[in-house]
Amino acid sequence: MPELPEVETIRRTLAIHVTDLMIKNITLIWPTAVCGWEGKAFEDLVIGRRIIGIDRRGKYLLIRLDEEITLIAHMRMTGRLNYYADHQEPEKHTHVVFTLEQGEVHFSDVRKFGRIQALPTPLSVSESSLRKLGPEPLEHEFTPAVLKDRFGTKKVSLKAALLDQHVLAGMGNIYVDESLFQAGISPERRVDTLSEEEISKLHQAIQTVLQAGIDAQGTSFRDYRDANGEKGWFEQALQVYGRGGEPCQVCGQTLERLRLAGRTTVYCPRCQK
């Protein structure tokens, strides 16, 4: 599933191509992939409107159109938004084609979990899943004190808490494992046992790892590609994720794999206390 660094990379690479362009037509190959608003068809809300910018909130893309319409796109497990300068025949798993003044944007999704919703911009937070999201981990307002406050008195594992989008927006399995390794804290630790120093280390690790992921344009194991169809290369920097049974690159201890919060988790039992 694309996480914050992947979605941010899609935002940046897509915005370069489509900002200020009008959406001239929409082809719905699998209509369930989109959702309109209060009885208004998706196409009626979108066709003829100009793309004025693209924002990101957690793992969601917010494609801003003129006349106060926003498209909220969630990639889920395998969704992609690809830009093509010329006409491109839809691939097997392409569900929506946006024809622009210049080029096309294809929304494809092998698993068919991704969705694009159109709704009035003033309601894009209050009437969507965005209203429940936690803070953005790369904003200046996100401090160790904020992280502590978001944890509250939860009695769950750190892995479960950091995967919870209500606690912190944008984190997923890859970057949670990597952040906990960099902070030197076990994913099994209960949130309410962390010291002030550990919270501070974790806060710094989260920001460092996410920024490194963005700088590498994300992690591409299987489905993820940016808007140009290019892979990210953060996989080359992974310390623990996907490396269960291999030696730790810091201490040489065999990395252990376990199941936490319903997700496979990899950590170093020596480096992460």
Side-chain angles (χ1 to χ4, degrees), residues 93-266:
H93 300 292
T94 299
H95 304 315
V96 185
V97 175
F98 296 85
T99 302
L100 310 179
E101 289 178 306
Q102 299 173 25
E104 299 176 342
V105 173
H106 291 206
F107 176 62
S108 60
D109 187 1
V110 174
R111 301 285 294 275
K112 290 188 174 181
F113 293 154
R115 294 292 184 273
I116 303 178
Q117 179 184 11
L119 73 171
T121 297
L123 303 178
S124 59
V125 174
S126 63
E127 299 298 323
S128 73
S129 300
L130 302 182
R131 70 184 183 278
K132 298 181 179 180
L133 294 180
E136 286 288 323
L138 291 178
E139 289 185 347
H140 293 301
E141 292 79 8
F142 177 64
T143 64
V146 170
L147 181 59
K148 180 180 179 180
D149 180 67
R150 299 304 297 182
F151 283 156
T153 58
K154 296 181 185 297
K155 299 183 185 300
V156 298
S157 70
L158 267 173
K159 181 63 180 276
L162 291 174
L163 287 175
D164 186 346
Q165 299 303 295
H166 302 161
V167 172
L168 198 58
M171 299 282 283
N173 213 25
I174 297 173
Y175 297 96
V176 169
D177 278 8
E178 293 298 307
S179 296
L180 288 170
F181 176 79
Q182 181 150 322
I185 307 174
S186 168
E188 295 182 284
R189 280 282 299 278
R190 260 181 31 181
V191 169
D192 60 339
T193 68
L194 295 181
S195 67
E196 298 280 348
E197 181 182 2
E198 287 173 320
I199 289 177
S200 182
K201 285 183 178 179
L202 179 58
H203 169 270
Q204 181 60 54
I206 288 170
Q207 293 195 321
T208 299
V209 168
L210 287 175
Q211 188 58 57
I214 292 172
D215 292 343
Q217 297 186 15
T219 306
S220 294
F221 280 114
R222 291 173 292 275
D223 300 286
Y224 163 70
R225 301 290 187 276
D226 67 15
N228 297 317
E230 300 293 332
K231 293 182 178 182
W233 58 88
F234 192 63
E235 179 183 357
Q236 301 171 20
L238 294 175
Q239 298 286 316
V240 288
Y241 179 83
R243 298 189 60 241
E246 299 179 23
C248 174
Q249 296 176 354
V250 173
C251 72
Q253 178 78 19
T254 300
L255 298 176
E256 294 189 5
R257 185 189 294 111
L258 72 159
R259 194 81 172 170
L260 275 176
R263 307 297 299 276
T264 299
T265 302
V266 180

Side-chain angles (χ1 to χ4, degrees), residues 6-18:
E6 289 75 43
V7 179
E8 176 64 18
T9 300
I10 295 171
R11 185 195 71 78
R12 295 181 182 187
T13 52
L14 187 60
I16 292 172
H17 297 297
V18 305

Side-chain angles (χ1 to χ4, degrees), residues 18-47:
V18 305
T19 302
D20 294 329
L21 295 182
M22 181 183 293
I23 300 172
K24 297 180 65 177
N25 192 36
I26 295 174
T27 303
L28 297 180
I29 301 169
W30 189 59
T32 307
V34 301
C35 179
W37 173 254
E38 290 193 340
K40 294 183 179 179
F42 183 85
E43 309 96 292
D44 294 339
L45 290 167
V46 175
I47 293 174

